[in-house]
Amino acid sequence: MTAEPWADLVSPRVGVIRALRPQVRGSAEPEPPHLWTATLANYDYLVARRSERVTAGKGRTEAAAKAAAVGEALERYCASLPQPMFSAVAADLENAITPTECVLYADEQYARDDWPYPPWDEREPLAWLRGSRVLGGVAVAVPAALVMLVAPTALVQMTTNGLAAGPDLPSAVRSGLCELIERDALMIAWMNRRPAVEIALETGIAAALHRHHAALGVELRAFVLPTDLPATVVLALALDDTPGRAATVLAMGCHPTPATALEKALFELCQARPAENARFRDRPPAGRLTRPEDVRLLDDHSAYAALPEQREQFAFLWRGGERASITDFEGHSDVLEDCAQALADLGYPPVYVELTTPDVRPSGYRIVRVLASGLQPIHFGFGQERLGGTRLGPELNPCPHPLA
């Protein structure tokens, strides 16, 4: 039997990944999706929170879930290790994507006495990584502070936005693009309270998951978010009125094919709900997260949204009352070059930096960070929105977004 491509990376003693095991969940939870977790080794010799060491994967098969969990772990691993950098002033570079192009902060944010991120000074040298434009493969310099999870300069709050793994380079880059599109659509819809189209969960695995959760007293709902970008973005909700459980749990899915985007969102919801219920039980948000300003950490976002009294914050999604079948939505090309061209035509040309380390490369995984000029990035913590872009409206929703 042929070994899995990640087999040499998993070992309790010498592996990049210390353990690969099924995700703990109740026996009543549906399968598929299959859910697995990967635990990273202490590769950086630092004390870290569990959320920074354990990653999760889901899939229709056990093999797919394992591969996804390993890929998520390798994303964090490769993006945390040193990469070849060089220092230069932006004006001296022939081809570069600047920090400003990737949406920084507004002047009023920089003017705050407690603001932790310095404004970018284009006259000062900056650390850069060598990347490529998705269209044409032209070499481009990319700010290291927008790529690495551990960067020499903290220009922005670091997140995993656009960080992706794949079995080959095009697959990894396409996954990164889909995540950028997904997060952009969520930020715009949530912060501007834009209504969405509800999807009727009537056929296939969507109907099966809907029936299964209904028997558990949980209502599944899914919505296609409005976006001008070349993919379908689905937001899925699990609504539960059982005391002691998370009242509302959110998950996202994005893909050029609408049915695939829906499945990705529902599978992620099946993965997120048991974990969110465990956090809701072990570290109750009631009394701890009582106002938007209390939301500071990544996990605070979903915990705040899980409070029963916050359910009304989601009402804008169904305000328009529009419903449709997932087959009513037009798909987009899943060819990487087509997606990149569509983004470029809209004024958001994408670039990527490959981060695959030498020890990971033999496994076949490719790890990238993808950026697209102008798209709205995700943020975590009240008041941490990156308001230096042009895709958000003037009056923004003060309630923190619900995605962890």
Side-chain angles (χ1 to χ4, degrees), residues 9-370:
L9 298 172
V10 180
S11 167
R13 293 188 177 183
V14 296
V16 169
I17 295 169
R18 181 173 296 163
L20 184 63
R21 56 173 61 98
Q23 179 174 324
V24 176
R25 55 177 174 165
S27 59
E29 298 295 332
E31 191 175 80
H34 294 266
L35 306 178
W36 280 70
T37 63
T39 303
L40 277 166
N42 189 24
Y43 61 89
D44 53 6
Y45 303 100
L46 298 175
V47 176
R49 294 181 300 165
R50 184 177 185 276
S51 61
E52 296 176 8
R53 291 287 190 251
V54 179
T55 61
K58 65 272 185 189
R60 278 182 173 258
T61 65
E62 183 178 293
K66 288 179 178 179
V70 170
E72 291 279 341
L74 295 180
E75 290 173 19
R76 181 168 293 278
Y77 172 72
C78 292
S80 300
L81 295 182
Q83 298 282 341
M85 304 180 193
F86 64 96
S87 179
V89 175
D92 295 336
L93 298 172
E94 183 177 344
N95 195 357
I97 181 169
T98 67
T100 303
E101 292 178 74
C102 296
V103 184
L104 299 178
Y105 301 102
D107 290 342
E108 57 269 26
Q109 292 176 292
Y110 286 122
R112 285 168 41 184
D113 291 337
D114 62 344
W115 192 248
Y117 307 107
W120 174 53
D121 187 343
E122 62 183 14
R123 300 165 299 180
E124 293 294 324
L126 189 66
W128 303 82
L129 292 165
R130 291 176 173 83
S132 301
R133 295 196 179 273
V134 178
L135 288 175
V138 177
V140 59
V142 182
L146 302 180
V147 175
M148 303 301 300
L149 292 179
V150 180
T153 304
L155 290 176
V156 296
Q157 177 192 65
M158 185 47 65
T159 72
T160 60
N161 206 43
L163 191 59
D168 52 58
L169 191 57
S171 297
V173 175
R174 186 179 65 186
S175 293
L177 283 178
C178 282
E179 183 168 279
L180 293 182
I181 292 170
E182 173 189 291
R183 303 300 168 83
D184 174 271
L186 173 63
M187 291 298 97
I188 292 173
W190 184 266
M191 296 178 72
N192 295 293
R193 293 193 177 100
R194 296 185 63 183
V197 179
E198 185 159 10
I199 303 169
L201 304 178
E202 298 174 337
T203 60
I205 197 165
L209 290 174
H210 186 270
R211 290 192 300 269
H212 188 107
H213 282 83
L216 301 177
V218 179
E219 181 185 9
L220 295 193
R221 301 181 73 174
F223 302 83
V224 171
L225 298 185
T227 182
D228 57 340
L229 305 180
T232 298
V233 180
V234 174
L235 180 154
L237 295 175
L239 308 178
D240 190 346
D241 294 325
T242 305
R245 294 184 189 167
T248 308
V249 179
L250 172 142
M252 300 293 300
C254 178
H255 197 271
T257 302
T260 302
L262 174 60
E263 180 175 301
K264 286 168 67 71
L266 292 175
F267 278 15
E268 183 171 296
L269 193 63
C270 292
Q271 184 179 70
R273 197 179 70 85
E276 198 60 50
N277 278 331
R279 285 193 291 268
F280 195 88
R281 178 192 65 239
D282 297 339
R283 194 164 183 255
R288 177 171 62 88
L289 304 175
T290 61
R291 54 182 188 150
E293 291 83 355
D294 295 331
V295 175
R296 298 171 182 266
L297 305 176
L298 183 148
D299 288 347
D300 290 345
H301 284 261
S302 58
Y304 186 70
L307 289 164
E309 60 268 26
Q310 295 303 320
R311 175 79 59 79
E312 64 182 19
Q313 297 292 344
F314 294 84
F316 70 87
L317 290 169
W318 50 83
R319 185 177 63 213
E322 190 174 354
R323 286 174 59 88
S325 168
I326 195 64
T327 58
D328 294 333
F329 293 90
E330 184 176 351
H332 301 267
S333 171
D334 64 357
V335 176
L336 174 60
E337 289 74 15
D338 293 343
C339 180
Q341 186 63 63
L343 285 169
D345 290 344
L346 291 167
Y348 312 117
V351 304
Y352 71 91
V353 178
E354 182 167 7
L355 301 173
T356 314
T357 53
D359 55 340
V360 168
R361 188 174 288 271
S363 71
Y365 280 93
R366 305 294 285 272
I367 313 299
V368 298
R369 171 81 81 165
V370 184

